[in-house]
Amino acid sequence: MSDLSRPTGPKIIAVANQKGGVGKTTTTINLAAALVEKGKRVLVIDLDPQGNASTGLGIGADNREFTTYELLLEDIDLEEVILETQTKGLYIVPATVDLSSADLELLTNEKRSFLLHDALRQTQMDTFAFDYILIDCPPSLNLLTVNAMIGAHSVLVPLQSEFFALEGLSQLMLTIREVRQSGNKDLRIEGIVLTMYDRRNNLSQQVEQDARDNLGDLVFKTMVPRNVRVSEAPSFAMPVLSYDTLSKGAKAYRELADELLAKNSPVVKEVQHVE
């Protein structure tokens, strides 16, 4: 018997943190690539007007005719907006700067908080047979991020290993609580992943200790190290798993994918037979 809490269809995860520079897009790209290595079909939704996830997965500006803007605000065929990346099994709905005006346009829409939820649940989506959908949220708690949280099953929070790292989490947790009350009562926290971790740095170790003391099992065992290969990979328009498959960063994202898959594997219960 499978775990009834496990959603049918793709598991949808919003990768969110209102603070910029925490490794959110990097985590989205490389976790997606690691899941694909494990045999999963993955869709990345680029919900950040900067479009860094699109660039990092090799989708140039000239190839972004239809984007998350059209997905949210126009009646567009999913086959037009979902693009295959250079990594087989990994797809993306790209973003452009046009998305920056979406917040204002969403305000006048009665279903403004549920547009992404509805778009990702079109019957046509079933034909793609995705196992996971990862949403790269903008670095703010705006209507786009709220759309992601209402459309998602869970939220994955990258947390940079630096001073004041935990302070911004309180506002994010409050937003998650409000979304549960207003539009997605089943939203849960997938976990906190420590990024840019340096074992030689006392501050990184202190942040890890504080995170585990305060958040317990919500913090993934895997920590993504500060790694130059991870930083270089986007400029070559590929995940670090392709750019330098043996790097420490690639190893960490594979381990993170393993943890995520273990958390989401169906629970198999033994059936006891009565003699």
Side-chain angles (χ1 to χ4, degrees):
M1 182 184 299
S2 63
D3 181 4
L4 294 180
S5 66
R6 179 69 170 88
T8 57
K11 173 70 179 287
I12 306 174
I13 302 174
V15 184
N17 190 327
Q18 76 273 20
K19 188 174 181 184
V22 298
K24 180 174 48 59
T25 299
T26 300
T27 294
T28 302
I29 290 173
N30 290 296
L31 177 57
L35 288 169
V36 167
E37 275 193 359
K38 308 293 180 182
K40 305 300 180 184
R41 282 173 62 85
V42 182
L43 173 65
V44 169
I45 304 289
D46 192 348
L47 209 60
D48 187 342
Q50 296 178 82
N52 290 336
S54 306
T55 303
L57 286 174
I59 308 298
D62 293 342
N63 294 323
R64 303 180 203 177
E65 181 179 0
F66 300 114
T67 68
T68 42
Y69 178 89
E70 284 80 18
L71 182 68
L72 289 173
L73 294 165
E74 298 181 11
D75 185 17
I76 187 169
D77 193 291
L78 281 170
E79 290 183 354
E80 297 288 342
V81 75
I82 294 177
L83 304 178
E84 188 167 9
T85 71
Q86 298 168 358
T87 302
K88 187 174 176 59
L90 178 54
Y91 298 76
I92 188 169
V93 178
T96 64
V97 71
D98 289 348
L99 196 60
S100 59
S101 66
D103 241 32
L104 290 175
E105 296 181 52
L106 288 171
L107 286 173
T108 60
N109 193 309
E110 290 182 359
K111 298 184 68 177
R112 56 184 171 269
S113 298
F114 290 83
L115 294 174
L116 185 60
H117 172 280
D118 294 347
L120 296 181
R121 286 162 177 82
Q122 297 179 52
T123 54
Q124 189 190 354
M125 184 64 82
D126 296 340
T127 63
F128 291 94
F130 293 121
D131 297 295
Y132 284 86
I133 297 176
L134 303 184
I135 308 170
D136 185 30
C137 297
S140 59
L141 297 177
N142 58 12
L143 262 175
L144 290 173
T145 301
V146 170
N147 259 270
M149 290 185 181
I150 287 180
H153 297 113
S154 62
V155 180
L156 175 66
V157 185
L159 189 71
Q160 188 176 357
S161 304
E162 64 170 16
F163 200 56
F164 295 136
L166 294 177
E167 287 199 354
L169 273 184
S170 57
Q171 184 60 45
L172 181 62
M173 297 299 186
L174 182 61
T175 301
I176 292 172
R177 189 178 311 138
E178 290 172 350
V179 168
R180 282 178 181 150
Q181 294 171 351
S182 64
N184 186 359
K185 63 182 178 61
D186 296 321
L187 182 68
R188 67 183 183 88
I189 299 171
E190 190 70 37
I192 315 291
V193 56
L194 292 169
T195 61
M196 306 179 198
Y197 187 84
D198 186 349
R199 293 185 182 278
R200 301 165 300 180
N201 188 314
N202 289 336
L203 179 57
S204 284
Q205 295 180 35
Q206 186 60 54
V207 171
E208 179 195 358
Q209 189 63 52
D210 289 347
R212 297 195 188 281
D213 287 347
N214 285 284
L215 300 165
D217 291 339
L218 282 178
V219 183
F220 281 93
K221 293 183 177 65
T222 301
M223 296 177 290
V224 179
R226 188 176 292 279
N227 180 249
V228 67
R229 294 306 198 190
V230 171
S231 302
E232 289 174 350
S235 64
F236 290 88
M238 62 179 69
V240 71
L241 285 82
S242 302
Y243 175 64
D244 188 346
T245 189
L246 299 179
S247 65
K248 290 181 179 178
K251 179 175 182 288
Y253 279 112
R254 290 189 180 101
E255 291 174 354
L256 181 62
D258 284 335
E259 266 198 84
L260 183 73
L261 290 172
K263 288 179 67 171
N264 287 279
S265 62
V267 176
V268 179
K269 298 180 181 178
E270 293 184 5
V271 178
Q272 294 183 342
H273 296 283
V274 178
E275 295 286 331

